[in-house]
Amino acid sequence: MANLQSFERAEYQQVKSDLHRKILDRLDLEKLGKTSGDSARDEVLVVIRNAVNSEVVPLSFAERERLSREILDEIFGLGPLEPLLKDHTISDILVNCFDRVYIERAGKLELTGLSFKDNSHLMQIIERIVSRVGRRVDESSPMVDARLADGSRVNAIIPPLAIDGPCLSIRRFGREPVTARQMIENHTLTEPMLELLSAMVKGRLNILISGGTGAGKTTLLNVLSGYIPNSDRIVTIEDAAELQLKQEHIVRLETRPPNIEGKGAVRQRELVINSLRMRPDRIVVGEVRGEEAFDMLQAMNTGHEGSLTTVHANSPRDALARVENMVSMANLNIPERAVRHQIAAALHAVIQIARLSDGTRKVITISELAGMDGDMPVMHDIFEFDRTGIDDSGKVRGTFRATGIHPEFADRLATAGARLRPALFEAKAEV
């Protein structure tokens, strides 16, 4: 839009809006609904091009073609967002207001030249997104989580909560999940670290993945879940479905928001409790955020070993404190010491992942929970990433290294058939 020389942005948007209305009047929408997706798009594109070419507007051929594509996106897709969604190098799309659209690429934010016509136009796109997954957004429910067809996570917040107009955030997920090999090539972790993590999953250890927003917790959870044997029955529980597990024996559950009367909500805790009646071998909770943490710990302690979950926290210690706080939200009046004992008994390891200042993602620590020392859980770091500074190009420098500590769960893994090499834990640094 910013590149158009013949029209100011407002005039261009007005032309597009007028043409959009005229074209909708000409289309037989009922007939289109029965036509296959590609055929319908081709038919409509012909109608659009004819309509654009018949207009007396000072636009070049390239500008007319762009206008035709944008109107097509308005009818079949998500309007100005469509070209961004087709760019797989973009990891986040952030719409601060109708004329301020940012993207994140390679860990860096940049402003795009894209724009919606106005707040009403942006609101139409938001409603189109959330309605596709059976959710709603309006003044009585001004915040919503949803997902796109490719699994990308969507959050929208509208007035009166959003002061400057509707706000939209899209966390992208690639068509193909990130693989373990790609994580190694991206220096998110090392071969020895992956060897340990894969053995921990195969050996049915309960693992908590901790990290900040955008650190890559869900990506790492997807990678680790790939090591769950096909013979295991898995139940996944999420607020908005985004996990991409490849196993055959899997049941996917998703929370439900309240209806327009404020009733009918199904929370994660209810799904975790229900999952226990579904004979799961493993339970995978996309992210623990509240009182369901108690039921998750109960499941880990009562025969559902090998379960995985994530939590927002900046360090392994913070992660345990957050889980403790979330258990207290269940209002069960359990003594603090008993909660910590339960956490130490349920969890075997905490993996801390972070997005660094240069946009790269690293597994900062792999820590073992080794029982209690008085009232506090004992934690040992097995692998860690040592940051040594920043180079001239702004890249974070550092090395991954084993701390030399041999984990207590190594014997447990050996009995489960996942024997680890003693050399794996020798204190040494790797770039």
Side-chain angles (χ1 to χ4, degrees), residues 49-113:
R49 282 173 174 158
N50 290 337
V52 170
N53 291 332
S54 67
E55 289 292 314
V56 183
V57 287
L59 293 174
S60 67
F61 175 79
E63 290 167 347
R64 287 173 183 270
E65 188 63 20
R66 179 184 301 174
L67 182 59
S68 299
R69 290 288 175 185
E70 288 179 3
I71 294 173
L72 189 70
D73 289 339
E74 291 291 342
I75 295 172
F76 288 99
L78 301 179
L81 298 179
E82 282 295 319
L84 302 180
L85 293 171
K86 291 171 184 171
D87 186 344
H88 300 298
T89 65
I90 295 173
S91 56
D92 282 274
I93 302 170
L94 307 169
V95 184
N96 290 1
C97 54
F98 76 90
D99 59 351
R100 302 286 288 180
V101 181
Y102 289 83
I103 59 169
E104 182 188 275
R105 185 186 274 119
K108 299 295 183 182
L109 285 176
E110 55 187 87
L111 178 66
T112 71

Side-chain angles (χ1 to χ4, degrees), residues 351-408:
I351 305 168
Q352 185 69 35
I353 187 168
R355 181 172 62 171
L356 305 184
S357 58
D358 60 358
T360 59
R361 292 166 172 85
K362 306 282 187 190
V363 173
I364 301 299
T365 57
I366 301 174
S367 307
E368 175 192 27
L369 268 77
M372 298 283 291
D373 181 10
D375 288 344
M376 297 299 295
V378 175
M379 298 188 78
H380 300 144
D381 291 345
I382 302 168
F383 283 94
E384 61 183 21
F385 177 73
D386 280 341
R387 278 173 274 199
T388 57
I390 299 177
D391 64 20
D392 294 337
S393 62
K395 290 287 185 182
V396 174
R397 294 186 301 184
T399 55
F400 292 100
R401 71 181 187 91
T403 62
I405 295 175
H406 194 277
E408 294 183 9

Side-chain angles (χ1 to χ4, degrees), residues 177-233:
V178 174
T179 64
R181 177 53 50 191
Q182 287 171 325
M183 293 193 86
I184 291 172
E185 290 171 355
N186 294 335
H187 304 290
T188 301
L189 42 64
T190 62
E191 289 271 13
M193 294 168 74
L194 182 63
E195 184 180 340
L196 172 62
L197 293 176
S198 62
M200 288 162 60
V201 175
K202 293 172 185 174
R204 304 185 67 86
L205 298 191
N206 296 321
I207 299 171
L208 177 66
I209 300 172
S210 166
T213 301
K217 300 185 296 298
T218 303
T219 301
L220 182 58
L221 182 59
N222 267 323
V223 168
L224 295 187
S225 67
Y227 295 102
I228 298 175
N230 245 332
S231 57
D232 284 5
R233 175 174 167 83

Side-chain angles (χ1 to χ4, degrees), residues 18-19 32 119 130 142 186 235 247 257 279 282 292 294 369:
D18 292 343
L19 279 170
L32 278 176
N119 284 329
V130 301
N186 294 335
V235 177
Q247 285 81 356
R279 197 243 169 249
R282 306 195 192 218
E292 70 273 4
F294 172 75
L369 268 77

